[in-house]
């Protein structure tokens, strides 16, 4: 049951803010959710200047928006602007969902990790329990997914990053949530993994992290947090190395959006229909 006080002042304007943001599929996903749930909502993509995040958020609040999704490169700034953080946003140190509360406060949450776990288990159909997992990257995107993956019972996470020290720092920060260790990127090919997740921004730049192709086994599931209309460079590499199962981050995008929608409106949309409409997932 939704708390009647929590949803006492329904607002109809929402947005995703980022830089760049014009490529985002979030507006079409949220509009489809709103139609499905018969919620009145406008949702737009708003590009904020790189130095203008805080002012941009204040402007949305002043214009009576109900909240916003936050994407690259503002997720850590979004944590700092929030007056109250959910436990998972506190652990992640990054925020992708802002809710403007009736008392003028800004609530920050992070639905990325939950979205990824739901996509892996429910949409792709793998079990995470006991999985040997390699995560590449050590930035904001990876911060958001580590604890939810460890909490889902993976056997352990090996973390590799172009700047190795950043991977070591994340290992220290997250080791209280499960078995996590750092490995130099060039050496990851020496170990077998069930699941490899690319959490670097390399795909967005049309580049590849420099990792040995021996890391890919035929049965490995290779997942790129990035999504694109064509195969990302990382997924192309995996495919040409003989991997059968690949997925981009479109499913995660839809699932984290559903979680944000539920935070704002108190209703959880059916994601299967949207995923089918978007097509070609996994
Ligand atoms: P995000 O919020 O997307 O994680 P970020 O915090 O800037 O953005 O982190 C970007 C991540 O992608 C980092 O792990 C970065 O590696 P470094 O820590 O060495 O900078 C990684 N990355 C970006 N471009 C890359 C490339 N061309 N090759 C490999 N890794 C790359």
């Amino acid at each position: 049951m939704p708390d009647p006080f929590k949803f006492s002042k329904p607002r109809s304007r929402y947005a995703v803010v980022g830089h760049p943001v014009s490529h985002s599929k979030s507006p079409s996903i949220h509009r489809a959710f709103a139609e499905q749930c018969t919620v009145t909502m406008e949702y737009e993509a708003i590009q904020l200047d790189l130095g203008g995040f805080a002012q941009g958020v204040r402007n949305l609040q002043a214009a009576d928006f109900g909240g916003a999704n936050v994407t690259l490169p503002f997720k850590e700034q979004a944590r700092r602007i929030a007056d109250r953080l959910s436990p998972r946003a506190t652990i992640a140190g990054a925020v992708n969902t802002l809710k403007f509360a009736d008392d003028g406060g800004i609530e920050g949450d992070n639905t990325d990790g939950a979205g990824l776990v739901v996509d892996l288990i429910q949409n792709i159909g793998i079990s995470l329990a006991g999985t040997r997992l390699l995560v590449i990257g050590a930035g904001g995107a990876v911060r958001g997914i580590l604890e939810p993956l460890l909490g889902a019972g993976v056997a352990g996470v090996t973390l590799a990053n172009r700047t190795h020290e950043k991977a070591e720092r994340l290992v220290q920060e997250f080791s209280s949530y499960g078995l996590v260790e750092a490995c130099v990127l060039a050496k990851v090919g020496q170990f077998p993994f069930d699941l490899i997740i690319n959490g670097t921004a390399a795909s967005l730049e049309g580049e590849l992290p420099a990792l040995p192709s021996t890391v890919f086994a035929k049965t490995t599931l290779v997942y790129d947090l990035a999504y694109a209309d064509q195969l990302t460079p990382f997924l192309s590499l995996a495919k040409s190395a003989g991997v059968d199962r690949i997925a981009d981050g479109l499913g995660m995008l839809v699932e984290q959006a559903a979680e944000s929608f539920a935070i704002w409106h108190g209703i959880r949309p059916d994601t299967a229909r949207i995923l089918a409409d978007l097509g070609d997932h996994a």
Side-chain angles (χ1 to χ4, degrees):
M1 272 292 280
D3 174 350
F5 296 104
K6 202 170 173 194
F7 299 107
S8 60
K9 190 181 170 194
R11 296 199 189 88
S12 61
R13 296 185 73 187
Y14 293 83
V16 54
V17 296
H19 186 116
V21 79
S22 58
H23 66 285
S24 174
K25 290 192 194 293
S26 289
S28 56
I29 293 168
H30 276 278
R31 286 175 200 147
F33 286 163
E35 194 181 328
Q36 183 196 107
C37 299
T38 54
V39 163
T40 304
M41 181 178 81
E42 290 167 49
Y43 189 105
E44 53 202 286
I46 298 176
Q47 177 163 313
L48 298 179
D49 291 340
L50 287 176
F53 176 74
Q55 187 57 51
V57 169
R58 299 288 175 208
N59 291 348
L60 296 184
Q61 255 189 316
D64 211 24
F65 278 64
N69 284 129
V70 180
T71 188
L72 292 177
F74 297 127
K75 290 183 185 184
E76 292 182 34
Q77 286 188 61
R79 169 181 59 86
R80 290 197 291 273
I81 207 173
D83 301 300
R84 299 183 282 274
L85 287 178
S86 67
R88 60 190 176 182
T90 304
I91 293 168
V95 158
N96 79 333
T97 306
L98 295 173
K99 180 178 175 182
F100 303 141
D102 291 349
D103 65 1
I106 299 178
E107 293 168 4
D109 202 343
N110 192 316
T111 65
D112 284 333
L116 173 64
V117 169
V118 170
D119 190 40
L120 288 168
I121 295 174
Q122 286 181 20
N123 300 332
I124 296 175
I126 65 160
S127 164
L128 285 172
T131 296
R132 294 164 301 181
L133 172 58
L134 170 64
V135 175
I136 303 161
V142 169
R143 298 187 69 86
I145 63 169
L146 275 182
E147 190 275 333
L149 288 166
L150 289 164
V154 298
V157 176
T158 300
L159 204 57
N161 190 48
R162 181 175 61 181
T163 312
H164 184 64
E165 300 72 45
K166 275 169 74 179
E168 284 183 333
R169 250 178 277 146
L170 273 199
V171 164
Q172 278 178 8
E173 203 177 320
F174 284 86
S175 56
S176 56
Y177 302 105
L179 190 63
V180 47
E181 60 180 10
C183 179
V184 174
L185 202 48
K187 294 196 175 160
V188 294
Q190 297 169 4
F191 308 99
F193 295 104
D194 307 302
L195 170 61
I196 298 176
I197 296 177
N198 178 29
T200 72
S203 283
L204 301 173
E205 297 154 9
E207 292 177 10
L208 280 169
L211 80 172
S213 62
T214 49
V215 74
F216 298 116
K218 194 170 164 54
T219 54
T220 314
L221 170 63
V222 178
Y223 193 106
D224 198 334
L225 297 189
Y227 64 91
D229 289 333
Q230 63 289 340
L231 275 190
T232 67
F234 191 78
L235 295 181
S236 293
L237 179 73
K239 208 171 171 192
S240 56
V243 172
D244 286 335
R245 292 195 304 167
I246 55 175
D248 72 12
L250 187 61
M252 171 180 171
L253 178 80
V254 170
E255 298 300 343
Q256 64 78 30
E259 188 94 359
S260 297
F261 191 93
I263 289 168
W264 293 327
H265 306 292
I267 308 170
R268 179 161 254 292
D270 172 12
T271 54
R273 282 164 53 186
I274 311 295
L275 278 168
D277 287 349
L278 289 168
D280 265 355
H281 176 62

